[in-house]
Amino acid sequence: MADILYTFEGKVYVNLTNACPCRCKFCIRNNGDSVGEASTLWFSAHMPSFEEVRAAVDAWDFSGYDKEVVFCGYGEPTCAYDTLLQTAAYLKEKGMRLRLNTNGLSDLINKKPTVDELCRYIDTFSVSLNAPTAEKYNALCAPAFGEASFDAMLRFAEACKKNGADVRFSVVDVISEEDIAACKSLANDMGIPLRVRTYTE
Ligand code: SF4
């Protein structure tokens, strides 16, 4: 079984699934089996049930780590939607702040509006903007939902913001300076801060 909980730069991260509808060219999963102090983040047999995640949380000593726990891992957390909600509720009961690192395609993945439910528990959403246009987004991320994906991601971020959540966009610096500037302009127009992440091999 892969690590369900792992640490990276002083925070505890949660790895719920290896599923993802995208194939981003810069995906960290292309470069190795783990991040931070994790041994492997690939699940060999099955994705963890909520009971398995809860057992991992119960066995973990959170003392000495940041109070913000991050849902990230080697897949898109909203692909494990029910487990994500159950785990978020459980961690919230324990007084944690929660951040979700997401591709923002949850509504398409789960075939229903999901922001209201997610905002019950998630304090901060880091949404992968990745590109300034649908065409460039599709070329970089190859989303399984095709043309609808870019707009769905933007609407997801917008709805999270409307719900009062702390929302940030991110791009990875594998795109051109010109595209980063266009992403900044788009994010600015939506009133959402943009973080430019450095690509690491
Ligand atoms: S959305 Fe995230 S997990 Fe999925 S392919 Fe892109 S970088 Fe990788």
Side-chain angles (χ1 to χ4, degrees):
M1 170 75 91
D3 292 343
I4 297 172
L5 298 186
Y6 61 102
T7 58
F8 179 61
E9 296 182 344
K11 288 184 193 286
V12 179
Y13 280 65
V14 187
N15 180 35
L16 295 179
T17 180
N18 293 147
C20 182
C22 298
R23 290 194 318 280
C24 301
K25 288 183 177 159
F26 56 82
C27 184
I28 198 165
R29 301 182 304 176
N30 302 330
N31 300 342
D33 294 339
S34 67
V35 175
E37 281 86 46
S39 49
T40 179
L41 294 173
W42 292 114
F43 294 102
S44 52
H46 65 280
M47 302 304 132
S49 64
F50 169 62
E51 288 67 31
E52 287 170 318
V53 179
R54 183 175 56 193
V57 168
D58 289 344
W60 189 273
D61 179 4
F62 285 84
S63 54
Y65 292 106
D66 194 291
K67 273 286 192 193
E68 184 183 67
V69 173
V70 185
F71 289 97
C72 186
Y74 257 25
E76 165 52 38
T78 62
C79 285
Y81 188 67
D82 292 340
T83 307
L84 169 62
L85 288 179
Q86 287 173 294
T87 306
Y90 191 60
L91 286 166
K92 214 63 192 161
E93 277 173 24
K94 293 181 172 292
M96 301 298 181
R97 276 183 54 79
L98 302 178
R99 184 173 99 206
L100 173 63
N101 290 358
T102 179
N103 59 22
L105 302 180
S106 178
D107 290 6
L108 295 177
I109 293 166
N110 295 293
K111 301 184 178 65
K112 62 177 182 178
T114 57
V115 168
D116 286 356
E117 278 182 318
L118 289 167
C119 284
R120 277 188 214 149
Y121 309 109
I122 306 295
D123 302 287
T124 301
F125 291 82
S126 177
V127 181
S128 301
L129 177 60
N130 292 339
T133 65
E135 194 183 1
K136 288 181 174 178
Y137 179 88
N138 283 5
L140 187 63
C141 303
F145 308 108
E147 281 298 309
S149 306
F150 186 70
D151 194 56
M153 175 272 296
L154 294 179
R155 300 290 79 82
F156 178 88
E158 188 176 60
C160 291
K161 184 174 157 62
K162 267 195 194 138
N163 262 275
D166 176 11
V167 187
R168 301 123 189 229
F169 278 134
S170 70
V171 295
V172 181
D173 64 357
V174 294
I175 60 175
S176 67
E177 287 292 327
E178 188 186 33
D179 282 347
I180 289 175
C183 286
K184 278 183 183 157
S185 174
L186 173 57
N188 199 41
D189 288 348
M190 292 178 68
I192 295 175
L194 175 80
R195 178 170 162 243
V196 180
R197 294 197 294 118
T198 305
Y199 177 73
T200 43
E201 295 280 351

